[in-house]
Structure formats: C-alpha cells, structure tokens
Amino acid sequence: MFCGKCGAECKDGATFCGSCGNPLSAQSSGFTPADRFAAPGNVGDTPAFDPSSIAEQPFGAEPAPVYAGGPSTYTPPKKKGLGKGALIGIIAGGGVILVGLIVFLVYWFAIRNTPVNRYRRIEKDSISSMVSSFENVYQYGGSSGMDYEVTVTLGSRAQQMLEQSAGIGMNWLDSVGLSGHVESGDDAMSYSAVVNVNDTEIISANAILDLAEGYVYLQVPEVLSDYLGMDMEELGMSSRDLEQLSMAMEAMPDQEQVSDVLTRYLELVVDHIDEVDRDSGKLKAGGVSNEYTTLTVVLDEDALTDIALAVLDELEDDGDVRDILIAMGDAGLVGYSMDGEDYYDEFMDEVADARERIEDDGLDMGGEEITMTLYVDGNEVRGRVIEIGDQITISYKCPEEGNEYGVEFTVEQYGSTMFTLSGSGEGDTGSFTLNVSGIDAVYIDAEDFDRDALKDGNLKGTFTLTFNSLIVRELGSMFEGAELVVTADTSDDEITLGVEVSANGGFLGALDLHTVKTKGSSIKIPDDYLTEREWTREVDVSDLLSEIGSRLRDAGASSQLVSMLDMLPMILDLN
C-alpha cells in the first residue's frame, strides 16, 4: 500500500504514512508510485499533472515531491545540527590532542636540552664553523683559479733607503704593482702577470707548467706572441722530481673529501662524550663580566680509551682514509719507498696493534685528566677553557654585557703564561694588548671590527698596531715610533688587505693585496712552441730593453736608470 500524498510505500493496515505523516485512507491501498504521472481519469477523479502549476523554486532548493495530484505541500524535514553531546566530545578530543602535543614538545625539548645533548649540539656547530674556515684555506680538488693584485707604495723615507742600496736616484718611484691570474689543475698550472710602475704597464708574462710532460712554456707578449718551450729537466729538475711533483698534485685529496673526514672524526669524538655537568659561572675578561651556563666535560683514562677505540674502529672501514693514504703513498708524500697499497696495509697493521694494546692496557695518561669547560649563552659559546692535567691550559674568554665586550686568550704551560691577548671594547671598537712571556709587546686598537665575521673565520676591520719601545730599539732608530695600520675585509671568496707602515712621524710605505677566487677552467697546453735557440734568434734583446726603458721613462724613471738599461746589451756582449 502507498501514501496518497507522498507516494511512499507503507505497511498494510498502517494508519499514518511513515514518511510524511499523512493519514492513510482505504483508497491509498491501490495507489502506486507509477500513478503519479497517470493519464486523466486513470486514478479516480484526480486531474492529470500540469507542469505549469509548479511554483518556481529558488536555485539549489530541494524540490517538493510531485505526483499525479499536482504540486505537493510537503515540507522536507530540517537537517539536525550537532547535539550538545557531540560538541562536548569534539572539544574534549581536541583538548586531549592539544595536551598530548604539549607533553610531547616538553619531553622533546627536555631531551634535546639535557647537558649531554646540548653540549654535543653546540660542539657540532663549532666543528661546522671550523671546517668551513679550513675550506677557505685548503683549495685542492679539481680546477681552481684566482685573480690577484699586489701593490707596494713607497714613501720618501723608503725611497731614500732604496736609493742608498741601489746607488742611483729613486725618488721618482712611487709604486710597484703586480697583477694577474693563477690557475691550477690536476697536472698543470698556469700563471699570468703584469708589472706596473707608477701605474704604467712595463712588461707582462704568461707561464704554463705541464707536469704530465715535464715542460714549462713562457710567453712575453711585448717580445713575441710565440711560447718558449723548455724541458724542466734541462732547468735542473730530474724526471723523478717531475714525476713526484705531478703525482703529488694528483694525490692531494679534494676539499670535499678532507672536510668530510674531518667532520666525521671530530663528531665521532663528540658523540662519545656521555657525561656533561651543567652549572653556571661568571666569565671575566677585560673588565667585563657576565653570568653564563657552564657545560663541563672531564675525560679520564677510561673515557679517552673509549674514544680512541671508537676512532680506531672507524678507521678500519673508512674508504676515504684508505683512498687518501694510498694516493699519498703512490706519490711518495710519506717518505716511504713503497707503493700506496703497501703503505696503507702497514698503516692498518699499526691501527690493529694500537687497538690490541689499548684494549689490553687502556690509554696511559699518568693519572692526568682532560677538563673542558664551555661558557654558553643559548647556543653561543662565550668562553672555552681546556686543561690537560697540570701541564697545559688554553683559555678563550669573550663575555658581553650590553654593548660592551671583553677578550682574553691565554696559553699556559706548567703554570707559566706563554702569551696572552687581552682587552675590551664597545660595539665595533676595541683596544687589546699582546703580552709575550710577561712583556707587553704589541698594542692594538680596532675600529669597524666585525666580531660576527671573525666567528666564521673572516677578518673585517681596521687595526692599528704600535710596539713596545724595547722591540723598536732592537729594530733600529729609523723605526722609532713605528706604527702599522692594517685594514682587512675577507670573505670565503675574496680578500682585501692593506698594511700601511709609518715611523718617526713619517710615512714609510704600504702594501695592498686583493685576491678573488674564480671558477676553475681547463688549462690549454700550447700546441706549437719555440725552442730556446729559436726563441733567442727571434727576439732582439736590445729592442726589448729599449721598450722597457721607454715605458719606464713614461712612468717617470730617472734618466740614469734608462741609460743603464740601454747599455745592458753592450755589457752582456762584453761578457
């Protein structure tokens, strides 16, 4: 049986429709869903469906059910919202998750900041900075290049000294410069250089060393575009020397490999430090003091034994160390008359012997301990003290208080201070004293000093150095009141350095250096070259010296010097 209003199927004998609640009559029993669209007269007197009788519905609204009786008055039931119980459940569940997250974060932070974990994290940051500084110096591996420029400027006092040494007038000589490019590859090196006097180019030269073939090529563009080729053996280098030099260049491990090895073994040592005491202590230097967290490590013989065994274990399976030692052995860099494989085998035999000895007897430190104390501010190291028993103490202290800072770096041996660098400053300025064996030897005033750059191994600032009168007296009276002004601006790829020297209130001279690392490129070995005899036959030495003399004259050189150059070919012929 079906409802006459909504057409829903109802149980036989039901009084009301279970879908819309319409009272059921007897005639409903013969109604079927198909009767909704029945032709006129097929369902009693119910008129046929007229589409125009449907009221227009808003877009998206649920349409009313339609059947043979015309538009329905059916109103769909409203959707039920969340009940109070469900809402409370969601809030309670979210609260549990939030509490769990907070507990996890507190636990993670507590574990991360245990004394041991904090010490390891800080030391590994220090290792990273140290290795980065090492990479700035160690440049082996693949091809690399560098542009350079060096200029020496002379003051009147320096000109007088040079004149006395040379015996000719030199007061015209204001500056001498050398600039060019250096390129290094696995088995070849190239150099280019330009000599300038008083900013006037005098002469240039290019040189290429082919270590694989044992040849050196030289070009002087002002003389001849062709290269002069010379066998290095004829220049006094034996074939064995050349072979070792070439092999040595190839054997040098590249920068990345060395950095990986350094990092791995230093971090291995740090990871085997299992006991760290955390406390607080006052750090004092240069009249500045502050309270910092201290992390102290004490390495006794047992701890050092564990570290040594861990290092030896790592060496046994270290492919990088194996490759480095074999290459160095093959190149003869270790002073042994054996090939690389034999050298490595001998090294590993010594490692095995050391391991057996340490396992049996441990490391004998004579009862001494190594104590290391870090003064830390967050993750920043403000001080470090290393004590090796009663023998050696190395300390670095740099407390900060507001904009002020103090510095003290000391090395002591058996209780006696070998040297100390100490002082204080504010912002980017500072004053320091270098004391050697109890004598204040050098006084340093700093301006525009970038201490953050120094932490990364770079030096930026201007530093004025003056000296103890005892030291000046040893140098001679002409250096009385000597003062050096050093201006530095270094980075990973570029170095700018200036040194200005004055004494007795007058300017002596200055040195300016500028280098820039460049991307390495392949070194082209000349296909054609002249032998020494051919090159000498092509080159007119008189013309060369005449050209140099002319350029020196343009630079302001004395006529006496130019005349000496003109006479040089004659002197050579007489000899």
Side-chain angles (χ1 to χ4, degrees):
M1 140 173 164
F2 298 89
C3 176
K5 184 176 181 180
C6 70
E9 186 175 3
C10 303
K11 293 182 180 181
D12 291 339
T15 306
F16 297 95
C17 173
S19 177
C20 68
N22 183 53
L24 301 176
S25 61
Q27 69 174 15
S28 299
S29 61
F31 183 83
T32 68
D35 293 332
R36 295 181 182 185
F37 305 102
N42 285 352
V43 186
D45 295 329
T46 304
F49 166 60
D50 180 7
S52 65
S53 66
I54 301 176
E56 184 176 352
Q57 299 293 320
F59 177 76
E62 182 179 348
V66 179
Y67 48 90
S72 172
T73 60
Y74 165 72
T75 302
K78 294 182 179 180
K79 295 181 179 180
K80 294 183 178 181
L82 292 173
K84 288 185 178 180
L87 187 60
I88 291 173
I90 291 174
I91 295 174
V96 170
I97 294 174
L98 180 60
V99 171
L101 180 61
I102 292 173
V103 170
F104 170 76
L105 290 175
V106 170
Y107 175 77
W108 176 83
F109 185 79
I111 292 297
R112 177 179 169 82
N113 283 279
T114 62
V116 170
N117 287 341
R118 187 177 182 187
Y119 174 82
R120 290 177 178 174
R121 187 172 67 251
I122 291 172
E123 288 290 46
K124 288 180 180 180
D125 287 343
S126 299
I127 291 171
S128 178
S129 297
M130 185 193 71
V131 171
S132 178
S133 299
F134 167 80
E135 290 174 345
N136 292 339
V137 178
Y138 187 86
Q139 296 297 321
Y140 284 97
S143 58
S144 60
M146 181 184 72
D147 294 327
Y148 68 91
E149 182 176 2
V150 182
T151 303
V152 177
T153 304
L154 303 177
S156 58
R157 294 286 304 280
Q159 290 171 344
Q160 291 172 12
M161 292 170 58
L162 191 58
E163 184 173 321
Q164 291 173 2
S165 300
I168 58 175
M170 300 297 291
N171 59 351
W172 59 273
L173 184 58
D174 297 324
S175 66
V176 178
L178 181 67
S179 61
H181 181 79
V182 178
E183 195 79 31
S184 176
D186 290 334
D187 54 8
M189 293 182 288
S190 68
Y191 306 88
S192 65
V194 177
V195 178
N196 291 275
V197 174
N198 294 350
D199 296 326
T200 300
E201 183 176 324
I202 303 302
I203 194 169
S204 62
N206 300 305
I208 298 173
L209 273 67
D210 183 356
L211 298 174
E213 298 297 329
Y215 257 75
V216 59
Y217 303 92
L218 178 65
Q219 180 196 51
V220 182
E222 288 82 4
V223 175
L224 199 64
S225 60
D226 292 322
Y227 275 90
L228 164 64
M230 294 176 287
D231 191 326
M232 291 186 186
E233 289 190 36
E234 295 178 0
L235 299 176
M237 295 188 69
S238 68
S239 58
R240 176 58 181 165
D241 292 336
L242 292 172
E243 183 182 358
Q244 284 192 329
L245 181 58
S246 178
M247 293 176 64
M249 290 189 63
E250 293 180 5
M252 295 302 293
D254 62 41
Q255 182 191 78
E256 183 178 357
Q257 188 178 39
V258 175
S259 297
D260 288 345
V261 170
L262 282 175
T263 300
R264 185 163 66 252
Y265 282 91
L266 290 173
E267 289 190 351
L268 177 66
V269 172
V270 170
D271 285 335
H272 277 77
I273 293 177
D274 298 322
E275 293 186 14
V276 178
D277 291 331
R278 178 166 52 197
D279 204 338
S280 62
K282 183 159 288 190
L283 193 64
K284 300 179 182 179
V288 179
S289 64
N290 207 336
E291 193 84 12
Y292 295 110
T293 298
T294 59
L295 300 173
T296 301
V297 174
V298 178
L299 299 177
D300 57 16
E301 291 180 346
D302 290 339
L304 291 170
T305 296
D306 290 341
I307 292 173
L309 290 175
V311 170
L312 294 173
D313 284 344
E314 183 72 15
L315 283 171
E316 288 183 359
D317 301 314
D318 195 323
D320 286 329
V321 171
R322 180 182 185 278
D323 293 343
I324 292 172
L325 293 179
I326 290 176
M328 293 178 67
D330 286 337
L333 296 179
V334 292
Y336 288 81
S337 57
M338 60 177 68
D339 62 22
E341 289 283 355
D342 290 339
Y343 173 67
Y344 175 73
D345 290 341
E346 183 178 281
F347 174 81
M348 293 310 300
D349 288 341
E350 293 178 0
V351 169
D353 290 343
R355 178 179 180 81
E356 182 178 354
R357 186 169 58 254
I358 293 173
E359 284 179 334
D360 292 341
D361 305 323
L363 282 179
D364 184 8
M365 294 287 293
E368 299 279 10
E369 296 178 337
I370 298 176
T371 302
M372 298 183 291
T373 301
L374 268 61
Y375 293 80
V376 297
D377 181 11
N379 290 329
E380 194 79 21
V381 178
R382 299 297 183 192
R384 184 188 296 269
V385 180
I386 302 174
E387 299 172 284
I388 304 176
D390 296 329
Q391 302 177 33
I392 297 176
T393 299
I394 302 172
S395 65
Y396 162 72
K397 302 174 183 178
C398 188
E400 294 186 356
E401 181 63 42
N403 202 34
E404 297 181 348
Y405 67 93
V407 171
E408 182 179 295
F409 179 69
T410 303
V411 176
E412 297 179 359
Q413 186 173 19
Y414 295 108
S416 298
T417 301
M418 300 175 65
F419 72 86
T420 299
L421 177 65
S422 60
S424 62
E426 184 174 357
D428 59 0
T429 63
S431 296
F432 315 99
T433 300
L434 176 62
N435 184 289
V436 180
S437 299
I439 299 175
D440 291 341
V442 183
Y443 309 97
I444 306 169
D445 289 324
E447 295 181 356
D448 301 321
F449 180 28
D450 189 337
R451 290 180 291 127
D452 290 332
L454 187 62
K455 297 172 186 176
D456 296 327
N458 296 311
L459 184 63
K460 298 179 185 291
T462 300
F463 309 90
T464 302
L465 285 67
T466 55
F467 305 89
N468 187 296
S469 58
L470 295 175
I471 296 176
V472 174
R473 192 178 305 157
E474 291 295 325
L475 296 175
S477 59
M478 65 174 298
F479 289 101
E480 186 175 344
E483 180 179 274
L484 267 66
V485 179
V486 180
T487 302
D489 186 356
T490 71
S491 64
D492 293 348
D493 299 318
E494 188 170 359
I495 295 175
T496 300
L497 182 67
V499 181
E500 183 177 308
V501 185
S502 61
N504 289 310
F507 172 72
L508 284 179
L511 171 68
D512 292 290
L513 169 68
H514 183 219
T515 67
V516 180
K517 291 180 187 177
T518 60
K519 186 177 181 180
S521 59
S522 60
I523 299 173
K524 181 174 175 55
I525 306 298
D527 295 325
D528 298 315
Y529 62 90
L530 301 177
T531 65
E532 185 177 358
R533 179 174 296 180
E534 291 171 335
W535 192 85
T536 304
R537 196 164 49 234
E538 293 287 338
V539 173
D540 189 325
V541 177
S542 297
D543 289 345
L544 171 61
L545 294 175
S546 177
E547 177 64 22
I548 293 175
S550 175
R551 295 186 180 190
L552 284 172
R553 188 179 292 110
D554 293 340
S558 65
S559 57
Q560 185 180 6
L561 177 61
V562 175
S563 298
M564 290 178 62
L565 288 174
D566 291 338
M567 294 174 60
L568 192 56
M570 185 184 304
I571 296 173
L572 293 175
D573 286 341
L574 289 174
N575 292 333

